[in-house]
Coordinates of all heavy atoms in Angstrom, one line a residue:
R706 N 0.9 -1.2 0.0 CA 0.0 0.0 0.0 C 0.9 1.2 0.0 O 1.9 1.3 0.7 CB -0.9 0.0 1.2 CG -2.0 1.0 1.2 CD -2.9 1.0 2.4 NE -3.7 -0.3 2.4 CZ -4.8 -0.5 1.8 NH1 -5.3 0.4 1.1 NH2 -5.4 -1.7 1.9
D707 N 0.6 2.2 -0.9 CA 1.3 3.4 -1.0 C 2.6 3.2 -1.8 O 2.9 3.9 -2.7 CB 1.5 4.1 0.3 CG 0.2 4.5 1.0 OD1 -0.8 4.7 0.3 OD2 0.2 4.5 2.2
E708 N 3.5 2.4 -1.2 CA 4.8 2.1 -1.9 C 5.2 0.7 -1.7 O 4.8 0.0 -0.8 CB 5.9 3.1 -1.2 CG 6.1 2.8 0.3 CD 7.1 3.7 0.8 OE1 7.6 4.7 0.1 OE2 7.6 3.5 1.9
P709 N 6.0 0.2 -2.7 CA 6.3 -1.3 -2.6 C 7.1 -1.7 -1.4 O 7.0 -2.9 -1.0 CB 7.3 -1.4 -3.9 CG 6.9 -0.3 -4.8 CD 6.5 0.8 -3.9
E710 N 7.7 -0.8 -0.7 CA 8.4 -1.2 0.5 C 7.4 -1.5 1.6 O 7.8 -2.3 2.5 CB 9.3 0.0 1.0 CG 10.6 0.1 0.1 CD 11.7 -0.9 0.5 OE1 11.6 -1.5 1.5 OE2 12.5 -1.1 -0.4
N711 N 6.2 -1.0 1.6 CA 5.2 -1.1 2.6 C 4.3 -2.3 2.3 O 3.2 -2.2 1.9 CB 4.4 0.1 2.7 CG 3.4 0.1 3.9 OD1 3.6 -0.6 4.9 ND2 2.3 0.8 3.8
I712 N 4.9 -3.5 2.6 CA 4.2 -4.8 2.4 C 3.2 -5.0 3.5 O 3.5 -5.0 4.7 CB 5.1 -6.0 2.3 CG1 6.1 -5.7 1.2 CG2 4.3 -7.2 2.1 CD1 5.6 -5.7 -0.2
T713 N 1.9 -5.1 3.2 CA 0.8 -5.2 4.2 C 0.3 -6.7 4.3 O -0.4 -7.0 5.3 CB -0.3 -4.3 3.9 OG1 -0.9 -4.6 2.6 CG2 0.1 -2.9 3.9
G714 N 0.6 -7.5 3.3 CA 0.1 -8.9 3.4 C 0.5 -9.6 2.2 O 1.2 -9.1 1.3
V715 N 0.1 -10.9 2.1 CA 0.4 -11.8 1.0 C -1.0 -12.5 0.6 O -1.7 -13.0 1.5 CB 1.4 -12.9 1.4 CG1 1.6 -13.9 0.2 CG2 2.7 -12.2 1.7
I716 N -1.3 -12.4 -0.6 CA -2.6 -12.9 -1.2 C -2.3 -14.2 -1.9 O -1.4 -14.3 -2.7 CB -3.3 -11.9 -2.1 CG1 -4.7 -12.4 -2.4 CG2 -2.5 -11.7 -3.4 CD1 -5.6 -12.2 -1.2
H717 N -3.1 -15.2 -1.6 CA -3.1 -16.5 -2.2 C -4.2 -16.5 -3.2 O -5.3 -16.2 -2.9 CB -3.3 -17.6 -1.3 CG -2.8 -19.0 -1.8 ND1 -3.6 -19.6 -2.8 CD2 -1.8 -19.8 -1.5 CE1 -3.0 -20.8 -3.1 NE2 -1.9 -20.9 -2.3
A718 N -3.9 -16.9 -4.5 CA -4.9 -16.8 -5.6 C -6.1 -17.6 -5.2 O -7.2 -17.2 -5.5 CB -4.3 -17.3 -6.9
K719 N -5.9 -18.8 -4.6 CA -7.1 -19.6 -4.2 C -7.9 -18.9 -3.2 O -9.2 -19.0 -3.3 CB -6.6 -21.0 -3.7 CG -7.7 -22.0 -3.6 CD -7.1 -23.3 -3.2 CE -8.2 -24.4 -3.1 NZ -7.7 -25.7 -2.7
D720 N -7.3 -18.3 -2.2 CA -8.1 -17.5 -1.2 C -8.9 -16.4 -1.9 O -10.0 -16.1 -1.5 CB -7.2 -17.0 -0.1 CG -6.6 -18.1 0.7 OD1 -7.2 -19.2 0.8 OD2 -5.5 -17.9 1.3
L721 N -8.3 -15.7 -2.8 CA -8.9 -14.6 -3.5 C -10.1 -15.1 -4.3 O -11.2 -14.4 -4.2 CB -7.9 -13.8 -4.3 CG -8.4 -12.7 -5.1 CD1 -9.0 -11.6 -4.2 CD2 -7.3 -12.1 -6.1
L722 N -9.9 -16.1 -5.0 CA -11.0 -16.6 -5.9 C -12.1 -17.1 -5.0 O -13.3 -16.9 -5.3 CB -10.5 -17.7 -6.8 CG -9.5 -17.3 -7.9 CD1 -9.0 -18.5 -8.7 CD2 -10.1 -16.3 -8.8
R723 N -11.8 -17.8 -3.9 CA -12.8 -18.3 -3.0 C -13.6 -17.1 -2.4 O -14.9 -17.2 -2.3 CB -12.2 -19.1 -1.9 CG -13.2 -19.8 -1.0 CD -12.6 -20.5 0.2 NE -11.7 -21.7 -0.3 CZ -10.5 -21.7 -0.2 NH1 -9.8 -20.7 0.3 NH2 -9.8 -22.8 -0.6
A724 N -12.9 -16.0 -2.0 CA -13.6 -14.9 -1.4 C -14.4 -14.1 -2.5 O -15.6 -13.7 -2.1 CB -12.6 -14.0 -0.8
T725 N -14.0 -13.9 -3.6 CA -14.7 -13.3 -4.7 C -16.0 -14.0 -5.1 O -17.0 -13.5 -5.4 CB -13.8 -12.9 -5.9 OG1 -13.2 -14.1 -6.4 CG2 -12.8 -11.9 -5.5
Y726 N -15.8 -15.4 -5.2 CA -17.0 -16.2 -5.5 C -18.0 -16.1 -4.4 O -19.2 -16.0 -4.8 CB -16.5 -17.7 -5.7 CG -17.6 -18.6 -5.9 CD1 -18.2 -18.7 -7.2 CD2 -18.2 -19.4 -4.9 CE1 -19.3 -19.6 -7.4 CE2 -19.2 -20.2 -5.1 CZ -19.8 -20.3 -6.4 OH -20.8 -21.2 -6.6
K727 N -17.6 -16.1 -3.2 CA -18.5 -16.0 -2.1 C -19.3 -14.6 -2.1 O -20.5 -14.5 -1.9 CB -17.8 -16.2 -0.8 CG -18.7 -16.1 0.4 CD -18.0 -16.4 1.7 CE -18.9 -16.3 2.9 NZ -18.1 -16.5 4.2
A728 N -18.5 -13.6 -2.5 CA -19.1 -12.2 -2.5 C -20.1 -12.1 -3.6 O -21.1 -11.3 -3.5 CB -18.0 -11.2 -2.6
I729 N -19.8 -12.8 -4.8 CA -20.7 -12.6 -5.9 C -21.8 -13.6 -6.0 O -23.0 -13.3 -6.2 CB -19.8 -12.6 -7.2 CG1 -18.8 -11.5 -7.2 CG2 -20.7 -12.6 -8.5 CD1 -17.8 -11.6 -8.4
S730 N -21.4 -14.9 -5.9 CA -22.4 -16.0 -6.1 C -22.8 -16.7 -4.8 O -23.7 -17.6 -4.9 CB -21.9 -16.9 -7.1 OG -21.5 -16.3 -8.3
G731 N -22.2 -16.5 -3.7 CA -22.5 -17.2 -2.5 C -23.8 -16.7 -1.8 O -24.5 -15.7 -2.4

């Protein structure tokens, strides 16, 4: 966030797809 040095987290593609599917079709 804001700059590449400021790492706030790590996203896993599977977790992202699962969350987006739940938000749209769940």
Side-chain angles (χ1 to χ4, degrees):
R706 192 177 295 276
D707 299 330
E708 59 180 12
E710 288 282 342
N711 184 28
I712 304 296
T713 59
V715 176
I716 192 71
H717 196 293
K719 190 174 182 179
D720 293 335
L721 178 61
L722 293 176
R723 187 185 293 112
T725 55
Y726 175 80
K727 182 179 179 182
I729 297 173
S730 304

